[in-house]
Amino acid sequence: MGVLDILLALVSGLGLAFVLWWLFGLLLRPLPARAARVVLTGRGEGENLEQLVRSFVWLRGLGLLRCPIVIADAGLTPAGWELALRLTARWPEVILWPASDLGDYISRV
């Protein structure tokens, strides 16, 4: 085998690996862009809210999630409300919405 044959086999193997990686990524990303919503319930002081939002933003950054993230206000205290506002200011794909009006948000988008 010549050097050209080895190089051709290497490039072909890398190309096949790329196609398989791309197809595997499509399997992990079944959600359409705007047809789904991630709804996180915000209560009290927003315990674990930042961690949950960061987790979903991380998934969006990897390209595994493409839908908006909605924080449904179901009784946030003023401190919890401030936390939710900071999260929405930091990441524009995060939306704060009253839980009682969640149906209005879903129907308008």
Side-chain angles (χ1 to χ4, degrees):
M1 266 174 73
V3 174
L4 189 58
D5 291 335
I6 294 173
L7 188 59
L8 183 61
L10 182 65
V11 169
S12 297
L14 289 175
L16 181 62
F18 173 75
V19 169
L20 290 175
W21 180 260
W22 179 70
L23 290 174
F24 185 67
L26 288 177
L27 287 174
L28 291 177
R29 192 175 16 151
L31 294 177
R34 293 287 176 184
R37 310 277 184 276
V38 172
V39 179
L40 304 174
T41 305
R43 287 190 177 100
E45 305 241 338
E47 297 85 8
N48 299 326
L49 188 59
E50 185 170 2
Q51 179 183 4
L52 285 171
V53 169
R54 283 180 183 268
S55 299
F56 284 108
V57 168
W58 179 71
L59 287 174
R60 284 180 57 94
L62 290 176
L64 298 176
L65 186 70
R66 294 182 287 177
C67 59
I69 302 162
V70 180
I71 299 173
D73 177 13
L76 285 168
T77 63
W81 182 262
E82 288 298 319
L83 172 65
L85 285 179
R86 282 196 315 269
L87 295 172
T88 59
R90 183 170 184 180
W91 294 293
E93 63 270 13
V94 178
I95 301 156
L96 177 60
W97 205 265
S100 59
D101 297 335
L102 204 53
D104 295 338
Y105 170 74
I106 292 172
S107 66
R108 77 173 182 96
V109 177

